[in-house]
Amino acid sequence: MRENYQAFTVGGQFIIAPPEQPAAPGNRRMLIMERGAFGSGEHETTRSCIELLESLPAGDNQQVLDLGSGTGILSIAALLLDSTRSAYCLDIDQRAVDSCRRNCLLNGVNSRVKHICGTLDQLEKGNFDLILANIYGDILLDIATELTARAKPGAFLLLSGILWEYNFDVKKKYRQLGCRLIETRLLDEFSTLLLCKE
């Protein structure tokens, strides 16, 4: 995210704003993001994920996994959309984990988040209702078996960061692992997939 930025809208419900921004105008939900790297609502993959998150049904006490959580923007959006959700935010970069924690505090959701610095194989928790992974397509291929094993039957998997050249292979792999494709979004350079584990 730029060092200085103005608030901007994403999807039909959110306005992304710096900490000093006053309350969101109208009926939009304010999602506060400090200035920094590791992902923001300005990137096309993040925008498409938030738009698709808005379309998902809410559920009681859903468990969310945000893999490669970065700033935490996707898990924060998911938590703001459903006050009963809780999240595990996992990233290999400690600076990203720290950034995610600060943003969760700014948005009043940190009590519902477990922050973990590490890789997927270090995560003991399974049986997630919603998995968010805005990471590169080749990584999504490498971890496909383990990632789908972490999802409950009926869980949604929202995958992005997938360059067009990997789109077909990622779709094919996750279908082979028992996931049904709900939507594909082809963006300028990347693509986003929404799947449901059968």
Side-chain angles (χ1 to χ4, degrees), residues 4 64 72-73 161 182:
N4 294 293
V64 180
I73 187 168
I182 298 174

Side-chain angles (χ1 to χ4, degrees), residues 21-96:
Q21 175 80 19
N27 58 358
R28 282 189 175 265
R29 302 172 190 266
M30 178 172 275
L31 204 168
I32 302 169
M33 298 296 293
E34 67 174 11
R35 296 173 178 83
F38 307 112
S40 73
E42 294 174 307
H43 196 272
E44 63 177 6
T45 59
T46 311
R47 284 178 171 272
S48 68
C49 286
I50 290 176
E51 289 166 0
L52 286 167
L53 269 175
E54 291 179 345
S55 72
L56 297 182
D60 290 336
N61 302 310
Q62 288 184 343
Q63 295 281 305
V64 180
L65 170 61
D66 188 352
L67 180 63
S69 50
T71 58
I73 187 168
L74 296 184
S75 49
I76 293 169
L79 295 176
L80 292 175
L81 286 166
D82 185 346
S83 62
T84 70
R85 285 175 176 153
S86 58
Y88 283 68
C89 291
L90 179 66
D91 203 290
I92 60 172
D93 191 323
Q94 184 61 52
R95 294 171 302 164

Side-chain angles (χ1 to χ4, degrees), residues 147-162:
L147 194 60
T148 53
R150 305 269 180 168
K152 285 182 180 178
F156 291 101
L157 294 88
L158 182 51
L159 312 178
S160 195
I162 308 162

Side-chain angles (χ1 to χ4, degrees), residues 184-196:
T184 300
R185 290 194 174 190
L186 295 177
L187 313 171
D188 289 341
E189 293 183 72
F190 296 89
S191 58
T192 301
L193 302 176
L194 177 61
L195 305 111
C196 180

Side-chain angles (χ1 to χ4, degrees), residues 70-161:
T71 58
I73 187 168
L74 296 184
S75 49
I76 293 169
L79 295 176
L80 292 175
L81 286 166
D82 185 346
S83 62
T84 70
R85 285 175 176 153
S86 58
Y88 283 68
C89 291
L90 179 66
D91 203 290
I92 60 172
D93 191 323
Q94 184 61 52
R95 294 171 302 164
V97 175
D98 294 340
S99 173
C100 180
R101 182 178 288 107
R102 289 192 298 271
N103 285 316
C104 287
L105 286 166
L106 286 169
N107 287 278
V109 299
N110 198 55
S111 63
R112 293 190 276 146
V113 178
K114 185 172 180 63
H115 301 277
I116 302 166
C117 183
T119 56
L120 186 60
D121 59 354
Q122 296 172 272
L123 181 65
E124 295 179 6
K125 166 74 179 169
N127 294 321
F128 289 97
D129 302 281
L130 172 61
I131 292 178
L132 312 170
N134 188 4
I135 55 181
Y136 291 117
D138 55 340
I139 299 174
L140 288 170
L141 287 171
D142 289 343
I143 63 171
T145 300
E146 188 177 1
L147 194 60
T148 53
R150 305 269 180 168
K152 285 182 180 178
F156 291 101
L157 294 88
L158 182 51
L159 312 178
S160 195

